[in-house]
Amino acid sequence: MIRPFAERYRAALADPRLPRNLLAFQRAWRLTRDTAFSRLQGETSSSFDTAKAQLVAAKDAVLADPSEARRAFIDNARACGTQVHEVATAADARTRILELLQQRGVKLLAKGKSMVAEEVFLNHHLEAAGIRVVETDLGEWIIQLAHETPSHMVMPAIHKSRQQVATLFESETGHAVPSDDVQAQVTLARTELRRAFLAADAGMIGANALIAETGSVLLITNEGNGDLVSTLPRLLIVIAGWEKLVPSLADAAAQVRLLARSGTGQEITTYTTLITGPEPDCEVHLVLVDNGRTAMWRDPDARAALRCIRCAACADVCPPYQVVGGHVFGYVYSGAIGLVNTSFHHGLEAAAEPQSLCVSCNACAAVCPVGIPLPELILDVRARVVEERGLPWYKRAAFAVWRDPRVFDRVARLASLAPAGAVSRAHRLLPRAWSWRALPPLARRPARDRCLGRVFEPDSVGPWVASGARGLTVAYFVQCVADRCAPEQVDAALRVLRACGARVAVPEGQHCCGLPMLDAGDLATARALAKQTISVLESADADYVVSGAASCAIAIMHDYARLLRHEPEWAERAQRLAARTLDLLSFVARVADPPALGSSDPPTFTADASALAAAKSQQPLVTYHSFCQSTNVLGIADVGPTLLRRAGIPLVDLPEMDVCCGFGGGSSVDNPEVARGIVARKLDNVHTTGATILATDNPGCILHLRGAAQAAGLHLEVKHVAELLAARLSQ
């Protein structure tokens, strides 16, 4: 029923309209979503967090004892006349529903939108038994005519153009359909579907929430089909997973406030319906589906995924989703949540290849209205895939070298002897899928040769020496990528710290934080390198541990304790280290808090004013990309621009500054076409600014963006913020 991943992937890449349509959709969604939340309770920044906390508490109350919540709901639903059928598997759900329909002689079933029905592949089963099924949601009807599954949980046909829809409608009706007149297409659909509403022997809907205290079904829709399907036929079947349970009507109201805003950017959807038992002479049957949900609940790490309210916000901000769409980035459920729950509903094999598309940008977690730690859970799935399948040969070989500091050092130094011309020629020889990014040459003299095991005294003079960092000792962690490929970034970071009045020690013995292995699902190697890093850094006599690589700082601050959670002693040591670790920009901004250079901060220019600003200042024009995890994990998207302005460096605004650049560690090697699509979006945005320098705060992003710009022949320098600050402080 669902094609293999490789086929879906190739088909998506071959459709040039798909990424264009999805990019326009994502940009429009983000604007309307943020506007809708800004008006929630008349608040701004705290409105989303307040509403989210209320709904998370309601969902967690169910997850604390789902058996009790189910019992309460079932008792109250049956007291109202609803007949409830608990089923364990997808096959059980299909069988029970078919029995209900056959026992009542149903020939035509009119269906409202239901992801659980898609999950259990219900339509195919019913049609094979001779029952005609008509999807009455417009998007679902379109994909039914196309013999496809939804590509989006809220807007299932978002991947289709109006021209493609016209062709489908013409095939179904035998009449000409205007290819560019959406309203005419909607009118035709209403006319055709009205016949199904009036002729149906039974109706089926899903549920947005199941309310335990009343036994009610909550249905939230933008089309009238849900109400028609649930009221016109005498037989109504509701199919839902038990995770849709909420304790009370007040909790359901909290979900209503969040779902439309997160799903479609509306303040409220058109229809909000409560169904509490049947009308006279009618039947309501509710099929309560497990299909892996109890297994998910029993996994303490995956349990939070059961909070999901199917708003699809995680897809709406996902950079890889924008490139290939939901049929690739998922299975039945698309987006980040699909990479998590697919393994429980359909088996690990169904999730194994789609999960490789995730670039760990954490944008999904930032917008999730129920606080699901989606990036962590996706990495858990990735680790299970590696445990079952093993690593790809190229990662296995690389990590075997990377794990041993001595072997890694020998190999890196040997590779650094290759002439720069040879590296350039090697890039041109790469297969086309990888040729869009130039390879970075390895430095003949890595940063460690100049700083490892040394202590650098603070500057005695300079504009920032009297900052809040004066008198502090900082232990500096050297990221392995910057060490070998961009040692100038390490030099600049040390220069900035000393310029802020800090004494800087660079501990001997440091190697790699283990993040590449964690991202790849190789937990054994990741743990080994994490422990090695903890041992080195915790022995340093320093007030803070700082790294110019935001990714490494985040790994130490946010990933280590979870990575080592099954080893209590190491987890505690990880927590202690995390408490005194900061990325470079946070340390400079929050701890040092240096004064502005000059009488006032220079302005941030719009793109329209960029050329004029450059001409007047006679300086290269700078724009800023915030490393996605700096934005979504640390919440410091504005810190880099603030520090640059404080140092007297004028900036031009970068559209979508905080959208991922597509590096994603190993994912850009596993799925290079996706990484290329994401970085093209970023470089297109940079082009609109007219900037000649792109600054950011993470070495991996820098090498990725630099390589893509170089291969494309762009005249663009990509630098670490520390390089610009160090140069300014040296003037």
Side-chain angles (χ1 to χ4, degrees), residues 595-601 646-648 728:
L597 302 185
S599 58
S600 63
D601 288 352
R646 196 177 293 185
R728 179 72 177 89

Side-chain angles (χ1 to χ4, degrees), residues 556-568:
I556 295 169
M557 296 162 64
H558 294 273
D559 295 331
Y560 275 11
R562 187 173 190 272
L563 177 65
L564 299 167
R565 63 191 180 280
H566 300 304
E567 301 178 68

Side-chain angles (χ1 to χ4, degrees), residues 217-274:
V217 172
L218 174 69
L219 183 65
I220 303 172
T221 63
N222 272 321
E223 301 175 33
N225 68 303
D227 286 347
L228 291 170
V229 163
S230 60
T231 56
L232 289 178
R234 292 183 178 275
L235 171 63
L236 172 64
I237 298 175
V238 181
I239 182 170
W242 62 254
E243 83 283 2
K244 294 297 180 68
L245 287 164
V246 294
S248 68
L249 279 168
D251 298 321
Q255 181 167 327
V256 170
R257 296 167 68 213
L258 282 170
L259 182 56
R261 289 175 168 87
S262 293
T264 57
Q266 298 168 272
E267 292 192 48
I268 193 168
T269 46
T270 307
Y271 302 96
T272 301
T273 305
L274 284 168

Side-chain angles (χ1 to χ4, degrees), residues 127 130 264 314 364 418 421 456 461 474 566 569 599 616 625 682 721:
E127 289 167 350
T264 57
C314 57
C364 53
F456 298 88
V461 295
V474 169
H566 300 304
E569 180 184 345
S599 58
K616 287 183 176 180
H625 157 68
K682 179 64 63 176
V721 177

Side-chain angles (χ1 to χ4, degrees), residues 368-709:
C368 178
V370 284
I372 303 172
L374 288 160
E376 293 179 358
L377 303 188
I378 292 168
L379 289 181
D380 288 346
V381 173
R382 189 170 295 174
R384 287 164 53 202
V385 171
V386 170
E387 185 178 6
E388 183 169 299
R389 290 184 167 191
L391 286 167
W393 67 266
Y394 52 90
K395 289 186 181 179
R396 189 166 62 251
F399 292 169
V401 172
W402 214 323
R403 177 168 182 155
D404 189 318
R406 289 171 297 181
V407 174
F408 181 83
D409 184 62
R410 293 191 194 104
V411 171
R413 290 182 188 278
L414 181 62
S416 72
L417 299 177
V423 175
S424 177
R425 288 192 295 274
H427 159 252
R428 291 195 294 268
L429 293 174
L430 288 173
R432 188 169 181 272
W434 285 276
S435 62
W436 53 269
R437 184 174 67 188
L439 298 173
L442 290 171
R444 292 288 179 91
R445 189 184 181 203
R448 63 180 44 241
D449 287 0
R450 299 193 288 273
C451 67
L452 217 61
R454 293 185 59 190
V455 175
F456 298 88
E457 296 301 326
D459 288 354
S460 57
V461 295
W464 283 3
V465 294
S467 78
R470 185 175 185 177
L472 297 178
T473 297
V474 169
Y476 189 82
F477 182 74
V478 181
Q479 191 216 36
C480 51
V481 171
D483 178 23
R484 303 292 176 167
C485 297
E488 68 279 1
Q489 296 178 26
V490 178
D491 295 342
L494 298 178
R495 172 77 187 89
V496 170
L497 290 170
R498 295 171 63 199
C500 289
R503 178 176 178 267
V504 186
V506 187
E508 188 79 54
Q510 56 179 289
H511 171 47
C512 172
C513 68
L515 181 59
M517 299 76 190
L518 174 61
D519 282 346
D522 181 4
L523 298 189
T525 303
R527 289 189 187 104
L529 291 177
K531 291 176 182 178
Q532 192 265 348
T533 300
I534 291 170
S535 296
V536 168
L537 295 179
E538 68 183 358
S539 63
D541 184 15
D543 300 290
Y544 288 93
V545 172
V546 173
S547 178
S551 57
C552 296
I554 291 168
I556 295 169
M557 296 162 64
H558 294 273
D559 295 331
Y560 275 11
R562 187 173 190 272
L563 177 65
L564 299 167
R565 63 191 180 280
H566 300 304
E567 301 178 68
E569 180 184 345
W570 278 105
E572 184 180 345
R573 292 169 68 179
Q575 289 168 353
R576 287 199 300 267
L577 178 61
R580 61 188 182 103
T581 298
L582 286 173
D583 67 288
L584 176 69
L585 299 192
S586 294
F587 179 84
V588 174
R590 297 175 186 173
V591 179
D593 190 20
L597 302 185
S599 58
S600 63
D601 288 352
T604 296
F605 297 103
T606 63
D608 292 339
S610 61
L612 180 62
K616 287 183 176 180
S617 65
Q618 295 184 334
Q619 295 182 27
L621 195 61
V622 180
T623 193
Y624 185 83
H625 157 68
S626 177
F627 170 48
C628 52
Q629 290 194 17
S630 292
T631 299
N632 298 316
V633 179
L634 299 180
I636 60 166
D638 61 336
V639 170
T642 298
L643 288 175
L644 290 171
R645 288 195 299 270
R646 196 177 293 185
I649 300 171
L651 296 177
V652 59
D653 288 327
L654 176 63
E656 299 183 318
M657 171 188 78
D658 52 2
V659 173
C660 179
C661 69
F663 175 52
S667 68
S668 63
V669 177
D670 295 334
N671 303 288
E673 300 92 345
V674 174
R676 181 180 189 177
I678 299 172
V679 79
R681 173 179 177 178
K682 179 64 63 176
L683 293 178
D684 285 346
N685 283 333
V686 173
H687 178 72
T688 66
T689 69
T692 56
I693 296 177
L694 174 62
T696 188
D697 57 332
N698 196 57
C701 297
I702 293 169
L703 296 181
H704 173 69
L705 288 161
R706 184 182 292 170

Side-chain angles (χ1 to χ4, degrees), residues 33-114:
R33 180 260 184 198
D34 291 349
T35 301
F37 273 110
S38 73
R39 292 195 291 264
L40 181 60
Q41 294 180 331
E43 299 175 8
T44 53
S45 61
S46 64
S47 59
F48 174 65
D49 291 336
T50 301
K52 179 172 74 172
Q54 182 179 356
L55 188 54
V56 168
K59 287 289 189 177
D60 283 350
V62 170
L63 295 179
D65 191 350
S67 296
E68 173 58 26
R70 286 199 298 271
R71 184 201 60 76
F73 170 78
I74 292 170
D75 287 349
N76 288 324
R78 286 174 174 164
C80 296
T82 298
Q83 300 182 54
V84 182
H85 311 264
E86 294 187 86
V87 296
T89 67
D92 293 339
R94 294 191 297 264
T95 299
R96 188 68 192 108
I97 292 169
L98 179 59
E99 288 173 351
L100 289 171
L101 298 177
Q102 288 178 331
Q103 288 167 3
R104 289 153 183 79
V106 172
K107 300 299 182 185
L108 172 60
L109 174 67
K111 275 181 81 268
K113 189 173 181 299
S114 168

